[in-house]
Amino acid sequence: MPKAPSKNQIETLLKQYQANNYVKAEEYALYLTKKFPNHDFAWKILSIVLKKVGKISESLTASEKLVEITPQDALAHYNLGNTYRELKKFSKAEESYKKAISFKPDLFQAYYNLGIVSKNNYKLEEAERYYRKAIHLKPNFAEAYNNLGTVLDNLNKLNEAEIYYKKAIALNPDFEEAYNNLGTNLEQQGKLNDAQTMYEKAILINPGLTNAHRQLSLIKKFDSYDQHFQQIQKIYLDKNILGEQRCHINFALAKIYEDLENFEKAFQHFTEGNKIKKKLLKYNIKNDIELFNQIKLYFKKNSQNTPKNFENKNALTPIFIIGMPRSGTTLVEQIISSHSMVTGLGELPFVLQFGYPVTTGLLESSEESLTKFRNDYLEKLEYLREKNLIVTDKTPQNFLYTGLIATCFPEAKILHVKRDPAAVCWANYKQWFKSKNLGYSYSLEDIVVYYKLYNELMEFWNKALKNKIYEVDYEALTINQEDEIKKLIKYLELSWEESCLSPEKNERSVSTASNIQIRNKIFKGSSQKWKKYKPFLDGVLDNLDTK
């Protein structure tokens, strides 16, 4: 009995595949794998065909069998890695890509995909290294230049990221994603006119690039229903635009209608966009209620495990700026980082990355685990800090991990920014967030529940940590700017510098949703803007009781 399919059988399968006749190709490949279970060709075609028809799990079985038959085939390991990545099994994908590289060290695609996996796992320095290796092996790899730019953006290396986006565009002048990413990069640097040009170029290449429309609408001030509005409205009326695309378009239209003071229409589009986003995220407030309860439970349980002494090898001192998103944390960071001794690092993912397992009981809290959390975090800061030893981390959601932060960084300062509850809740509702961890923000009812959870947790931290948290009142800060800023700088034990009174002149990059308004002078009254929508809110934000 033959151990391999005949030339005619191989050609028959190949013809079905090349003709895109995937149903027959799948059937014939299954027949050949049963008849010749140890021959690689039919398994290879079967794994590809199953993936093309959306049977990813079945494709995984075929890919694993192919690797078993040809254990030294680099491409077999590479394709297995791709399947693992599509199934979001990132650790397995990483193993497969590394195995592929061990057999074929010049496999640039494997390095590129390792960059994708590393970024998904918040291993940004590793992702940077892999993308650079992919570019070294293939210097005209436009996608790698673009992805390297996104990693450098996340590492707050915006000037360098700009260079790589431009290289990607030079290699592929029709690279719409690179234009869009460059627009975001320039926006974060405060180069709003240049950012607008990049968004417009992205849209010119692909008029249906809804994310670019949304971002462009945010940096423009609309005084009429102009051509851009007409273009967005046309996309909105297209019934084939679904999911995330329709979400972007709704938020873009809401911004335009708000500029033109048609608040009823703006509210309608905010509502539609939010409903879509919540559905896409499959968010349920019960998961956050459980998370808040877990955090309190494990803090009480593990409070006895605090190491008595922490070594501070490099004298790095973090300032954590916490609070609800859209509460004014960006403004506070701009003020503090205007000081010559402070470097503002923006929103960093590292407390979540290293601290979540300890905070929620997934990892046992011990002297060893707490020390590791501290050291891992400080290692990341050392990589990013530039020249100053005092740095800010203004990730608002770090309020969840305040107990862990206070325990592991006794030398750190923790600033809690509080703002009018209704203003914060509305600001969350009208914002499209890049993070997938803010699912509560896409329903007004969920936002109110979440705000109360947050407020109760902050009361819990204040009681447990006693005088460790300095509260910054956003409204007081905007009304009595000089007095409040001087009190803040004194609390941080910094010498006084007049530059702290003019945060709008701070030229550092800002990657948060506040990156446009932060370029303007501090102004009063922003917390009252939500009241323009009161007629449409059915009282959901009235008398928001947080006690």
Side-chain angles (χ1 to χ4, degrees):
M1 183 176 178
K3 294 183 179 180
S6 67
K7 182 180 178 182
N8 183 56
Q9 287 172 318
I10 289 174
E11 287 178 352
T12 299
L13 177 57
L14 196 57
K15 282 180 182 177
Q16 290 171 340
Y17 170 69
Q18 290 174 338
N20 299 330
N21 193 343
Y22 299 136
V23 175
K24 287 188 176 181
E26 180 185 345
E27 290 174 356
Y28 197 58
L30 282 168
Y31 164 74
L32 292 180
T33 56
K34 288 176 182 176
K35 192 167 184 180
F36 310 104
N38 294 315
H39 193 270
D40 65 312
F41 183 75
W43 286 110
K44 189 177 295 185
I45 296 296
L46 181 61
S47 67
I48 296 170
V49 167
L50 288 169
K51 193 176 291 187
K52 284 187 177 290
V53 298
K55 298 179 180 179
I56 308 298
S57 297
E58 292 93 326
S59 174
L60 176 61
T61 303
S63 297
E64 288 174 333
K65 180 64 177 178
L66 183 60
V67 165
E68 181 186 322
I69 295 169
T70 58
Q72 295 187 337
D73 185 340
L75 290 178
H77 286 286
Y78 170 74
N79 288 328
L80 177 58
N82 288 342
T83 307
Y84 280 132
R85 183 164 64 85
E86 287 188 50
L87 291 169
K88 301 191 184 313
K89 297 182 178 182
F90 297 124
S91 296
K92 288 278 192 180
E94 185 177 355
E95 289 175 19
S96 294
Y97 291 137
K98 287 180 177 178
K99 198 78 172 177
I101 289 168
S102 71
F103 293 116
K104 189 174 172 55
D106 62 347
L107 190 59
F108 64 87
Q109 300 99 321
Y111 283 106
Y112 174 75
N113 285 345
L114 273 170
I116 294 173
V117 168
S118 296
K119 189 184 176 193
N120 283 331
N121 288 331
Y122 300 108
K123 298 177 181 177
L124 299 179
E125 296 93 334
E126 286 185 20
E128 178 186 354
R129 191 164 60 250
Y130 288 131
Y131 286 135
R132 290 189 188 279
K133 182 66 175 179
I135 289 167
H136 174 73
L137 293 169
K138 187 183 179 184
N140 63 343
F141 197 173
E143 290 80 3
Y145 283 106
N146 176 64
N147 283 21
L148 177 56
T150 64
V151 169
L152 293 169
D153 270 343
N154 285 322
L155 289 169
N156 289 319
K157 298 180 179 181
L158 269 71
N159 293 328
E160 193 176 357
E162 180 183 348
I163 293 169
Y164 284 101
Y165 290 134
K166 288 178 176 177
K167 285 184 177 179
I169 290 167
L171 288 166
N172 179 4
D174 293 327
F175 200 166
E176 62 196 57
E177 184 184 345
Y179 280 111
N180 191 50
N181 288 338
L182 179 55
T184 303
N185 172 280
L186 293 168
E187 184 181 328
Q188 290 170 8
Q189 295 185 59
K191 302 173 183 177
L192 300 184
N193 290 334
D194 292 339
Q196 179 170 336
T197 300
M198 291 304 111
Y199 291 139
E200 288 170 346
K201 284 185 177 181
I203 290 167
L204 190 63
I205 296 166
N206 180 4
L209 192 61
T210 55
N211 187 31
H213 282 294
R214 180 184 58 78
Q215 291 179 275
L216 178 56
S217 73
L218 290 174
I219 62 174
K220 283 178 63 177
K221 178 67 176 176
F222 290 83
D223 54 16
S224 66
Y225 294 108
D226 64 7
Q227 187 177 354
H228 184 213
F229 167 79
Q230 301 297 338
Q231 192 177 14
I232 296 173
Q233 184 71 6
K234 184 178 178 181
I235 296 171
Y236 175 73
L237 294 173
D238 183 350
K239 301 300 182 184
N240 294 317
I241 298 297
L242 302 171
E244 193 71 59
Q245 290 181 302
R246 183 161 289 277
C247 179
H248 286 308
I249 287 299
N250 272 288
F251 275 93
L253 286 170
K255 163 58 166 59
I256 295 170
Y257 282 120
E258 183 173 81
D259 280 355
L260 298 170
E261 299 191 352
N262 188 338
F263 298 111
E264 183 174 8
K265 291 288 287 184
F267 183 74
Q268 288 173 9
H269 285 289
F270 279 132
T271 301
E272 185 177 343
N274 277 298
K275 283 181 179 177
I276 294 169
K277 188 69 173 179
K278 180 177 177 178
K279 186 176 180 181
L280 288 171
L281 291 175
K282 298 177 181 176
Y283 176 77
N284 190 323
I285 189 69
K286 291 179 182 178
N287 295 328
D288 273 325
I289 292 172
E290 184 179 343
L291 173 62
F292 278 71
N293 288 334
Q294 278 184 318
I295 287 170
K296 292 177 188 175
L297 175 68
Y298 282 104
F299 179 76
K300 290 176 180 177
K301 182 178 178 182
N302 299 323
S303 58
Q304 305 302 316
N305 296 321
T306 307
K308 292 182 173 57
N309 294 298
F310 281 113
E311 186 179 5
N312 196 341
K313 296 178 182 178
N314 50 18
L316 259 177
T317 304
I319 299 171
F320 294 93
I321 306 170
I322 62 173
M324 279 285 286
R326 313 296 289 138
S327 62
T329 54
T330 301
L331 172 59
V332 172
E333 183 178 48
Q334 282 291 93
I335 291 167
I336 298 168
S337 62
S338 296
H339 197 284
S340 62
M341 300 295 291
V342 181
T343 297
L345 295 181
E347 296 187 6
L348 302 175
F350 308 126
V351 171
L352 169 64
Q353 180 183 349
F354 302 128
Y356 180 84
V358 180
T359 309
T360 57
L362 294 174
L363 182 67
E364 183 182 355
S365 176
S366 63
E367 287 200 25
E368 182 182 3
S369 64
L370 294 175
T371 302
K372 186 177 188 312
F373 162 72
R374 174 186 169 87
N375 292 341
D376 286 345
Y377 181 83
L378 288 176
E379 184 181 329
K380 297 293 186 182
L381 291 195
E382 180 62 35
Y383 180 74
L384 297 172
R385 71 175 176 86
E386 299 173 353
K387 60 178 182 177
N388 288 321
L389 288 172
I390 303 174
V391 299
T392 58
D393 178 345
K394 65 125 292 185
T395 307
Q397 295 292 105
N398 280 347
F399 76 79
L400 292 164
Y401 312 105
T402 304
L404 181 66
I405 290 168
T407 298
C408 295
F409 297 98
E411 75 277 33
K413 301 291 188 182
I414 303 173
L415 310 179
H416 173 215
V417 186
K418 294 192 71 173
R419 188 182 179 190
D420 175 79
V424 168
C425 290
W426 174 250
N428 274 253
Y429 187 67
K430 63 178 285 191
Q431 182 65 46
W432 182 94
F433 288 105
K434 185 177 180 180
S435 172
K436 294 180 180 179
N437 297 323
L438 303 175
Y440 70 87
S441 66
Y442 301 106
S443 157
L444 283 168
E445 290 74 18
D446 287 345
I447 291 171
V448 170
V449 173
Y450 191 91
Y451 186 90
K452 291 179 179 180
L453 290 170
Y454 141 80
N455 197 65
E456 289 167 4
L457 183 60
M458 288 312 304
E459 289 179 354
F460 174 83
W461 293 135
N462 278 315
K463 185 175 180 181
L465 300 174
K466 292 185 177 64
N467 303 319
K468 184 63 181 174
I469 303 168
Y470 180 90
E471 291 204 345
V472 180
D473 185 315
Y474 176 81
E475 277 74 33
L477 181 63
T478 60
I479 296 168
N480 303 309
Q481 296 170 25
E482 186 168 345
D483 288 347
E484 293 299 320
I485 291 172
K486 283 184 174 179
K487 283 195 292 184
L488 174 60
I489 298 302
K490 182 179 180 181
Y491 171 77
L492 295 173
E493 301 178 273
L494 295 168
S495 59
W496 175 248
E497 292 183 5
E498 288 292 322
S499 56
C500 296
L501 292 175
S502 303
E504 73 279 2
K505 295 179 182 178
N506 187 339
E507 294 183 355
R508 63 176 285 272
S509 303
V510 179
S511 60
T512 69
S514 305
N515 59 8
I516 298 171
Q517 57 263 46
I518 207 67
R519 308 295 175 187
N520 301 316
K521 287 186 177 182
I522 299 174
F523 66 96
K524 308 171 189 176
S526 64
S527 291
Q528 303 303 311
K529 286 186 174 182
W530 74 273
K531 291 182 179 179
K532 293 177 180 179
Y533 290 90
K534 279 191 77 171
F536 321 112
L537 295 176
D538 293 329
V540 70
L541 301 183
D542 292 349
N543 304 313
L544 188 61
D545 185 9
T546 59
K547 299 299 181 184

